[in-house]
């Protein structure tokens, strides 16, 4: 799937990613206590009205990760017909995306 070809307008509500902080101390990670199977490049976890996306730091993967959730919401919550009488607000809200939707290296939940 190419997010440049198939996208939803709601994607524009998600701000661009924050640059990682370079003043944080960095060290090698300790070995894992359990074996981890290979993971996908990105993953989304949802709970009620929140979604949390994690992706490796790669421009292609980031672009897809940023576009996937708005596209899925747009497909699920779009009007079912041209003449649908019920007006709906966008499922993604600009204020929430500006406050909580900025992709960043570190998030506190």
């Amino acid at each position: 799937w190419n997010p440049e070809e198939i996208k939803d307008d709601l994607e524009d509500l998600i701000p661009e990613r924050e640059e990682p902080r370079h003043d944080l101390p960095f060290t090698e990670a300790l070995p894992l206590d359990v074996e981890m199977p290979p993971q996908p490049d990105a993953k989304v976890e949802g709970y009620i009205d929140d979604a949390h996306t994690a992706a490796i730091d790669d421009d292609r993967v980031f672009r897809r990760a940023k576009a996937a959730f708005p596209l899925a919401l747009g497909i699920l919550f779009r009007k079912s017909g041209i003449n649908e009488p019920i007006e709906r607000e966008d499922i993604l809200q600009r204020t929430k995306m500006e406050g909580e939707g900025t992709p960043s290296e570190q998030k506190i939940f």
Side-chain angles (χ1 to χ4, degrees), residues 1-2 17 26 29 35 41 57 76 90 96-97 102 106:
W1 157 63
N2 182 349
R17 65 178 144 183
F26 179 79
E35 188 173 322
D41 292 341
D57 190 17
L76 291 171
D90 288 337
K96 186 167 185 174
M97 289 297 98
T102 302
Q106 193 175 30

Side-chain angles (χ1 to χ4, degrees), residues 49-94:
D49 68 340
D50 286 318
H52 309 287
T53 304
I56 61 171
D57 190 17
D58 174 86
D59 287 338
R60 180 192 65 83
V61 173
F62 173 77
R63 178 75 184 93
R64 291 182 67 172
K66 181 181 175 189
F69 187 64
L71 179 61
L73 287 180
I75 291 168
L76 291 171
F77 294 100
R78 70 183 187 275
K79 289 186 175 186
S80 56
I82 296 171
N83 298 320
E84 184 175 308
I86 300 172
E87 288 296 319
R88 306 175 191 203
E89 292 186 27
D90 288 337
I91 194 70
L92 282 178
Q93 297 299 312
R94 179 174 301 283

Side-chain angles (χ1 to χ4, degrees), residues 3 6-15 63 66-67 70 92:
I6 301 173
K7 67 177 271 182
D8 192 278
D9 293 337
L10 296 176
E11 180 189 338
D12 296 335
L13 295 178
I14 299 176
R63 178 75 184 93
K66 181 181 175 189
L92 282 178

Side-chain angles (χ1 to χ4, degrees), residues 26-42:
F26 179 79
T27 186
E28 285 288 321
L30 296 173
L32 295 175
D33 290 332
V34 296
E35 188 173 322
M36 293 288 293
Q39 297 291 315
D41 292 341

